[in-house]
Amino acid sequence: MNDMTANVGAQERSDSIYFAPLLPWQQMLWSQLTQRVLTQQSLPHALLAAGMQGMGKRAFVWRLVAWLLCREHDTNPLGACGACESCQWLKSGTHPSLQVLPIVSMPINADSDTLQEKPSSAKDKKSAKTTSNSALKIKVDDIRALQPFIYQGGQGMRICVLDHAEQMTVAAANALLKTLEEPQAQVHLFLISDTPAQLLPTIKSRVQQLALQTIEPAVAIDYVTHALGHTINREAVGKMAIEQLIQLANGAPLAAIALAQAPWYGKRSLWLTTWQALRSGKRSSVAASDYWQKQLSIKEFIQLSERMLLDIKRICLGLSELQTDINLSEALASYQPTDSGLETFATSLQQTKVALQQNVQEKFAYDKLMQELACL
Ligand SMILES: [Zn+2]
């Protein structure tokens, strides 16, 4: 085992994730799993936390990992003690019984940051811009490098966490299969995936999936209301507004909170006004571009536009809009864009994202998008 790489992933994580409060919809699963350990029944050798972002699956895994490793967990059934030698090791990112892949553990995008699904440090945020998905690939050598750790024997629990498990290459997945087929005493594997459909079926059939996907609507509403209570203005915290946020986030509470806090979310009406002014010729695309450059970064404007486009499409298809707090139907009553117009604008948004990765200037990208928006 290369000691230099052994705990880089762990060092990249902030310690708070190990000791954060348990999310309310995870309480039952938490007690089921911890009770099994406390009553000397073994946990499944390999567990998979799968599902879309914003459900708190990573929060659950890191919390459970900390608790399993905690020396005092018998007397602290609700979470790692935070004080024992093991907890100290986690805090310093040097736990000898924890291995994490991929080795460079950084947020893929702003989402994984704001969703608090992945622990991160200021350093991560700075470098996140230059990190692409390819940096997350889990290669066969990474899996092979885990073998000595897994097979070393000895006392005490050892844990491997494979985040973004769908990023395993086929060779890596095949190497992992062998490990999954030969469970070692005291060794636990945790796989985490936002897109489990991309995992090999042979892998999925050998891991036990954690029941983290179901959240009672009332529990989600309660949680989001409470979380947003202190952070956004009062009128926006109405029940309707909360329900809308959760719906837009496909039922994922942490994603709903991130959405409410996104700079663009409060500018949806403004987008509509700009679009109408551009279309009617009351405003030039240059003026609109200048104005929006002071409102949002181009990336945020693209997110906003994508959200608006989704609802505009729904209305054009004769469905009701998901966002009921802005007058979208009214705005579309007298004019509806064509299918091809919608496609063209969606394509422009995609192309702009690509152009931005190639360092195209924000102003230039904004100018172009406003011209496109005027033609929608
Ligand atoms: Zn502890």
Side-chain angles (χ1 to χ4, degrees):
M1 181 85 216
N2 180 349
D3 282 332
M4 286 298 286
T5 58
N7 277 297
V8 176
Q11 277 160 4
E12 294 286 345
R13 282 183 300 285
S14 70
D15 61 34
S16 59
I17 197 86
Y18 299 113
F19 309 102
L22 186 62
L23 294 164
W25 56 91
Q26 299 175 344
Q27 277 165 5
M28 192 185 285
L29 182 64
W30 178 268
S31 24
Q32 283 167 359
L33 294 173
T34 52
Q35 277 310 307
R36 280 181 71 155
V37 175
L38 292 173
T39 54
Q40 311 295 321
Q41 304 167 59
S42 61
L43 276 188
H45 166 60
L47 290 160
L48 169 65
M52 65 177 151
Q53 284 196 355
M55 307 286 269
K57 59 186 180 303
R58 288 189 175 84
F60 187 87
V61 168
W62 295 122
R63 214 174 175 283
L64 185 61
V65 163
W67 184 83
L68 287 169
L69 294 170
C70 177
R71 300 279 164 85
E72 305 292 332
H73 69 212
D74 286 358
T75 47
N76 294 277
L78 299 178
C81 76
C84 71
E85 189 178 34
S86 168
C87 290
Q88 295 295 339
W89 277 331
L90 283 180
K91 285 179 180 177
S92 61
T94 56
H95 206 301
S97 304
L98 174 64
Q99 293 290 324
V100 182
L101 290 180
I103 293 199
V104 180
S105 187
M106 283 190 268
I108 319 176
N109 52 36
D111 280 351
S112 26
D113 239 17
T114 47
L115 298 186
Q116 298 176 342
E117 284 233 327
K118 179 175 271 295
S120 61
S121 64
K123 189 176 148 227
D124 289 341
K125 277 170 198 153
K126 250 185 250 166
S127 46
K129 274 185 189 167
T130 54
T131 309
S132 67
N133 276 4
S134 62
L136 292 168
K137 274 273 175 254
I138 300 175
K139 302 186 186 78
V140 64
D141 287 345
D142 299 332
I143 301 290
R144 286 192 188 129
L146 284 180
Q147 305 299 325
F149 173 79
I150 290 172
Y151 293 99
Q152 74 191 20
Q155 292 298 304
M157 191 175 285
R158 299 190 298 291
I159 296 179
C160 298
V161 178
L162 276 69
D163 199 357
H164 305 283
E166 76 284 345
Q167 295 290 331
M168 269 185 288
T169 63
V170 172
N174 285 327
L176 182 69
L177 267 182
K178 198 169 172 305
T179 305
L180 292 172
E181 281 161 0
E182 302 168 348
Q184 300 295 305
Q186 301 269 64
V187 176
H188 292 283
L189 297 171
F190 286 91
L191 276 64
I192 306 175
S193 178
D194 299 326
T195 50
Q198 292 174 20
L199 284 172
L200 284 183
T202 42
I203 295 276
K204 265 197 278 189
S205 67
R206 283 171 179 80
V207 297
Q208 190 163 325
Q209 192 156 338
L210 292 166
L212 287 166
Q213 288 95 335
T214 324
I215 304 180
E216 289 288 324
V219 174
I221 291 172
D222 247 30
Y223 183 81
V224 175
T225 306
H226 186 76
L228 293 179
H230 311 288
T231 57
I232 57 177
N233 56 29
R234 204 178 294 159
E235 84 232 51
V237 197
K239 189 158 184 276
M240 292 281 284
I242 299 289
E243 284 174 350
Q244 174 175 306
L245 281 166
I246 293 170
Q247 194 177 18
L248 293 176
N250 297 312
L254 303 184
I257 293 164
L259 190 58
Q261 293 167 341
W264 60 264
Y265 190 73
K267 302 203 185 290
R268 291 167 298 129
S269 288
L270 203 55
W271 187 96
L272 210 51
T273 309
T274 297
W275 178 40
Q276 289 181 306
L278 281 170
R279 221 183 51 235
S280 64
K282 284 181 190 148
R283 197 162 201 190
S284 73
S285 59
V286 174
S289 172
D290 285 346
Y291 175 77
W292 276 94
Q293 284 172 56
K294 294 181 198 112
Q295 300 291 319
L296 292 176
S297 76
I298 184 85
K299 281 185 183 158
E300 288 159 351
F301 183 79
I302 292 170
Q303 279 184 301
L304 167 60
S305 301
E306 285 176 337
R307 181 71 255 170
M308 298 303 286
L309 220 49
L310 281 177
D311 255 353
I312 292 172
K313 267 187 204 161
R314 284 183 67 93
I315 294 171
C316 292
L317 287 168
L319 302 166
S320 60
E321 67 265 53
L322 296 179
Q323 307 172 74
T324 52
D325 59 339
I326 51 174
N327 297 322
L328 205 48
S329 297
E330 210 173 285
L332 288 163
S334 56
Y335 168 83
Q336 293 196 346
T338 60
D339 278 356
S340 65
L342 287 168
E343 276 308 309
T344 307
F345 190 60
T347 308
S348 293
L349 292 173
Q350 285 307 317
Q351 287 170 343
T352 310
K353 282 192 216 174
V354 175
L356 288 168
Q357 281 170 2
Q358 294 158 354
N359 296 322
V360 163
Q361 274 195 344
E362 283 223 358
K363 183 190 176 326
F364 178 81
Y366 243 130
D367 285 351
K368 193 160 172 296
L369 269 190
M370 287 301 170
Q371 282 168 15
E372 308 266 359
L373 185 57
C375 304
L376 179 63

